[in-house]
Amino acid sequence: MWALLGPPTLILGLLLATLLLVILNPVMMYRQWRYRKMPGTQSALLPPLLGDMSRVMKEGSPIVIQELSRLLGPVFRLHLGRTMFVCLTDPAHVRLVGYRSIDRAMNSVMLRGEIKTLIEQDLVSVRGHQWSTVRTAWQPAFSPATLPNYLPLMQRSANTLVEVLTGAAGKGAPIDVHWALGCMTLQAVGSSAFGVDFRSFEMEANGSGGDGGKGGGVDDDGYGAELTHACRDIFATLSLKGGGIWGQINAMVPELHVVWLHLAYAFPDAAFRRKLAARRKLLSTARGLIADWQAHHIQEAEATATVTEAAAAATTVSEAAAPPAAPAAAAAAPAAGSGGQPGVPGSSGAGGGGLRGWLLRRRRNNGRGNAAAGAAAGGDGGSSSVGGPDSASSPPSMAAPRSPQADSPAESVAGVPASATVRTKPGGAPAVAAGSFLDVLLRARSRSTGEALTDLQIIAQAQIFILAGYETTSTALAFALHCISSHPEVEARVVAEIEGVLGPWQGGADVNTPLSEDTLAKLEYLTAVISEVLRFHPPVNATSRNLKEAVTLGGHHLPAGTGCLLSLYSLHRDPGLWECPHEFRPERFLPGSTVHPNAYVPFGLGARLCIGYKFALQEMKVALVQLYRAMTFELAPGQQPLQITYGVTATPKGGLWVTPRLRERPSAS
């Protein structure tokens, strides 16, 4: 009978039958059945294909979770398509799960090949024992001794922002300050974390960023505004709504993930093309940074080897001319020539030993390990220009990581100390500075095995640092400007405190006065404002955990392996935890005030607490100090109330439009 209906009908019938069998999958039905006694809006046995997905896409997940918590209680089911999460909104439950479990609950990544592998290996997504190794490699970059070194670099980026907004103030027209803040945070990440000037403001001003410009590729004078576009596109496409039709279909029928993934690559929609292009841009940037580091240190090693060989030759000549009464010197000469000069980091002897030999072996292996990994995973992204290292041969004589000041030119830039100057190659292209985040990662060794991170792992960390450093901080600063501008009394107090600590505003040159940790610590009200902004508008609305072991919460049994969403937004807006939670009150965080334990977690909690949160807070404070020393902001029409787009992060919908108003210098008395 099917044959009489023709091949198209037969194919359609087979597809529908397959889909029906997938939906009635007994394994999936059993997993859902275990949560049948837990409240939720959908059937626990056979949830619809959409579940709560359409509502989440329309209203935003934090709003939906907060409303469902009010109706269903602090423990309930949320169905994003046929993928189920258990939502937790009670501070005690959040703390227990957040501290007891480490691995995040992750959906299947709608990408393949090397790009997929890199996402799975970054600090946010990596699981199991590898997470500990990766996090340990990050720690030196955010130690209390390291953070002060970033201050001049952050101030330099903030000063550039002030210059841009000063020009906008002269025109008297509104500007999207959220975009400008993104350029600043990207520039700060480039200089502070990589010792590279991304030149995001310069490239945007020249019109070379975006979709139609030349872009700031690795071979250009900077990475530029195109990288800013890529970062923003990646975050925009992480959500269900922004991820496109294939991501939504995958959520509805996750059992056919491989099928949807192949179809997405074969017939990409606009969202998928946007995501893929942005990921490739970010990957090319990370590769370029690492390739630059390797090339720079090979040159250093070669220069050191040349000096060492010259010194050894001079020693040999002097020994030949010296009387035979110096056996110690004669014995030392062969050692220097064969094994490297003691005390010279990275010196090498004959052949391919020393730092230079290790670096050359690492570069010779480029494309081997990574190409194999990419081919095994699907081969997306092409062969890597920085492949896996020879892990059995770590560098024999690595110099200890230095602070960013170590290699800075003596000349100061724009009134900022010389330590704030980032390195560049002779032709103007970026050069990764010693002591920067990337330099620390490339030199890092596992405490237990002594092995270095693979190049894929390092690229993954470089990517996530750029993304996290750009998006969350720029969004938090945009929310801060909106909150301060919406409350004149808060703005007046912020300006008064800054003047009380730093002195009256005397004009443009004042922004070049170096800031210090002690100075920033005196700004208690500004610190309270930042804390209240992060409570009122947490840039990351929720974090997730995959339960390591079974647990009972609120009378509900959660088996091991349950995916949980810990709603930070709900904790921050809970009227049972905060007085008038929908009002902006910085006084909640002034010294002497009390906050409910576990109710304030803007950077997550437990072992997965954001490792760079002190870096972000320092950058926010530097930026706000520099901005409010020079100007205030008037919200453009339509910015009150602020429309927010909720995805993985919360961002101002359509940007934040303000008119900068320059502050006047006090008149001489």
Side-chain angles (χ1 to χ4, degrees):
M1 183 184 71
W2 286 104
L4 297 176
L5 297 177
T9 306
L10 178 61
I11 294 173
L12 180 60
L14 290 173
L15 287 175
L16 291 175
T18 302
L19 187 60
L20 184 62
L21 289 174
V22 168
I23 293 174
L24 297 177
N25 181 353
V27 176
M28 173 71 78
M29 293 177 68
Y30 169 71
R31 290 175 180 171
Q32 303 279 3
W33 179 80
R34 295 181 299 174
Y35 303 92
R36 65 193 182 280
K37 295 183 180 179
M38 185 180 296
T41 62
Q42 311 295 324
S43 167
L45 181 61
L46 188 61
L49 289 177
L50 287 176
D52 301 300
M53 190 169 70
S54 58
R55 184 179 176 187
V56 166
M57 290 170 59
K58 180 180 179 181
E59 302 177 30
S61 60
I63 306 301
V64 173
I65 291 174
Q66 186 182 36
E67 179 62 19
L68 291 181
S69 177
R70 187 182 66 82
L71 297 174
L72 304 176
V75 182
F76 60 92
R77 290 179 285 111
L78 182 74
H79 294 267
L80 300 178
R82 284 167 50 78
T83 303
M84 191 203 76
F85 293 95
V86 173
C87 294
L88 306 177
T89 60
D90 180 88
H93 298 163
V94 169
R95 177 179 175 82
L96 188 148
V97 172
Y99 277 88
R100 185 173 293 183
S101 299
I102 295 178
D103 288 346
R104 297 185 188 274
M106 307 293 292
N107 289 329
S108 299
V109 178
M110 282 296 289
L111 291 165
R112 67 187 182 193
E114 189 178 48
I115 294 178
K116 176 178 182 289
T117 302
L118 290 170
I119 293 173
E120 293 173 341
Q121 291 191 12
D122 68 41
L123 181 62
V124 173
S125 305
V126 69
R127 296 174 141 207
H129 70 278
Q130 289 185 345
W131 170 82
S132 177
T133 299
V134 170
R135 187 176 177 92
T136 299
W138 279 64
Q139 287 174 343
F142 300 105
S143 68
T146 304
L147 284 172
N149 296 329
Y150 299 135
L151 267 174
L153 302 167
M154 292 175 175
Q155 185 173 352
R156 183 173 186 256
S157 300
N159 289 352
T160 305
L161 174 63
V162 170
E163 292 177 9
V164 171
L165 295 180
T166 299
K171 299 177 182 178
I175 182 174
D176 180 6
V177 74
H178 183 213
W179 179 263
L181 289 165
C183 292
M184 185 210 73
T185 56
L186 189 62
Q187 184 164 306
V189 165
S191 60
S192 301
F194 302 107
V196 169
D197 188 355
F198 282 168
R199 302 187 183 180
S200 50
F201 283 109
E202 177 181 322
M203 299 292 287
E204 181 67 15
N206 292 338
S208 55
D211 298 330
K214 177 189 77 170
V218 176
D219 295 326
D220 298 330
D221 286 347
Y223 290 87
E226 193 173 90
L227 181 58
T228 311
H229 281 283
C231 292
R232 183 164 289 191
D233 285 349
I234 287 172
F235 275 94
T237 55
L238 284 176
S239 66
L240 277 172
K241 185 175 182 179
I245 186 65
W246 293 115
Q248 295 161 17
I249 292 175
N250 183 68
M252 289 188 283
V253 190
E255 297 90 341
L256 298 179
H257 169 74
V258 175
V259 175
W260 310 136
L261 183 60
H262 282 287
L263 288 174
Y265 274 88
F267 307 100
D269 61 356
F272 190 82
R273 287 194 297 269
R274 181 186 181 193
K275 172 172 65 176
L276 199 56
R279 285 286 180 184
R280 285 171 174 164
K281 172 62 184 177
L282 183 62
L283 174 57
S284 70
T285 298
R287 281 175 172 167
L289 289 167
I290 293 177
D292 170 76
W293 185 93
Q294 291 177 331
H296 176 75
H297 283 276
I298 285 176
Q299 292 171 1
E300 278 191 347
E302 289 174 340
T304 302
T306 301
V307 172
T308 303
E309 290 168 2
T315 302
T316 304
V317 171
S318 63
E319 286 174 354
S338 60
Q341 181 179 353
V344 180
S347 63
S348 59
L355 173 60
R356 179 177 181 274
W358 174 78
L359 285 167
L360 290 172
R361 285 194 300 275
R362 187 176 181 116
R363 297 199 75 184
R364 271 200 306 270
N365 288 333
N366 291 349
R368 296 179 188 172
N370 287 4
D380 184 80
S383 61
S384 173
S385 63
V386 277
D390 181 4
S391 59
S393 177
S394 60
S397 180
M398 274 292 191
R402 292 170 286 175
S403 67
Q405 290 94 325
D407 288 11
S408 299
E411 184 181 359
S412 63
V413 175
V416 180
S419 58
T421 304
V422 296
R423 295 172 52 158
T424 57
K425 296 178 185 177
V432 176
S436 64
F437 168 72
L438 185 56
D439 187 64
V440 169
L441 280 184
L442 285 156
R443 296 175 184 271
R445 298 292 174 273
S446 169
R447 293 176 181 173
S448 56
T449 66
E451 291 184 353
L453 296 179
T454 67
D455 280 356
L456 278 177
Q457 287 176 314
I458 293 170
I459 292 173
Q461 310 324 311
Q463 287 191 154
I464 199 64
F465 195 110
I466 292 171
L467 283 174
Y470 160 77
E471 170 71 9
T472 53
T473 307
S474 64
T475 298
L477 282 167
F479 285 138
L481 294 187
H482 185 271
C483 290
I484 295 172
S485 301
S486 302
H487 298 81
E489 72 285 358
V490 173
E491 180 183 84
R493 191 166 175 180
V494 165
V495 171
E497 182 182 62
I498 292 173
E499 286 195 343
V501 173
L502 298 172
W505 171 244
Q506 297 296 331
D510 268 10
V511 296
N512 295 323
T513 303
L515 299 175
S516 66
E517 280 190 299
D518 292 339
T519 300
L520 296 179
K522 296 175 182 177
L523 300 169
E524 293 182 347
Y525 186 72
L526 181 61
T527 302
V529 167
I530 292 172
S531 297
E532 177 68 350
V533 167
L534 295 174
R535 181 200 70 83
F536 202 65
H537 293 297
V540 178
N541 309 305
T543 186
S544 68
R545 292 291 190 276
N546 197 64
L547 287 186
K548 183 179 180 181
E549 55 191 26
V551 65
T552 299
L553 300 174
H556 302 288
H557 178 73
L558 278 65
T562 299
C564 296
L565 285 181
L566 317 182
S567 178
L568 313 183
Y569 183 92
S570 296
L571 290 180
H572 290 187
R573 298 291 187 111
D574 189 341
L577 304 174
W578 305 90
E579 181 181 352
C580 301
H582 297 288
E583 295 182 6
F584 183 75
R585 296 183 178 181
E587 293 77 14
R588 305 177 202 271
F589 294 96
L590 287 175
S593 303
T594 57
V595 175
H596 188 286
N598 310 316
Y600 180 70
V601 283
F603 297 101
L605 71 165
R608 289 279 187 172
L609 175 72
C610 174
I611 194 170
Y613 80 94
K614 291 183 179 179
F615 179 96
L617 289 175
Q618 180 172 282
E619 185 180 0
M620 285 186 68
K621 190 174 286 189
V622 168
L624 291 173
V625 167
Q626 298 303 86
L627 287 173
Y628 279 97
R629 291 178 79 184
M631 63 190 68
T632 57
F633 300 91
E634 179 182 324
L635 296 175
Q639 301 298 294
Q640 196 72 280
L642 184 63
Q643 300 298 311
I644 299 175
T645 298
Y646 293 105
V648 173
T649 59
T651 57
K653 186 176 182 179
L656 177 62
W657 292 85
V658 301
T659 302
R661 303 295 185 191
L662 298 181
R663 295 184 56 212
E664 296 181 0
R665 296 174 57 180
S667 57
S669 56

